[in-house]
Amino acid sequence: MTGVREMSIVELDAALIDLSHRRRQALRAGRPTGDTAAIEARRIAIWNELRRRGL
């Protein structure tokens, strides 16, 4: 994931919240697994970056 390491804590937090909302909406709408998997992969990358920073 390019860009995750360059993002500030505030940007990472906002992206995480946005992706969580988008994931919930996709699951409710019954979107294909590929759509939700892409969102989930991005969420995991952001979580990993936050953990790497010790947050």
Side-chain angles (χ1 to χ4, degrees):
M1 291 280 152
T2 57
V4 175
R5 289 191 177 218
E6 291 81 26
M7 294 172 81
S8 71
I9 300 295
V10 174
E11 291 171 324
L12 288 169
D13 186 48
L16 191 61
I17 291 169
D18 178 57
L19 289 168
S20 295
H21 288 292
R22 288 175 49 196
R23 179 178 171 271
R24 274 189 232 114
Q25 289 172 346
L27 290 173
R28 281 189 205 125
R31 290 197 195 133
T33 307
D35 290 350
T36 55
I39 293 170
E40 189 65 22
R42 185 71 176 167
R43 283 182 66 231
I44 290 168
I46 291 172
W47 268 115
N48 288 338
E49 180 62 20
L50 288 170
R51 273 188 284 178
R52 187 187 72 77
R53 294 183 189 188
L55 301 172

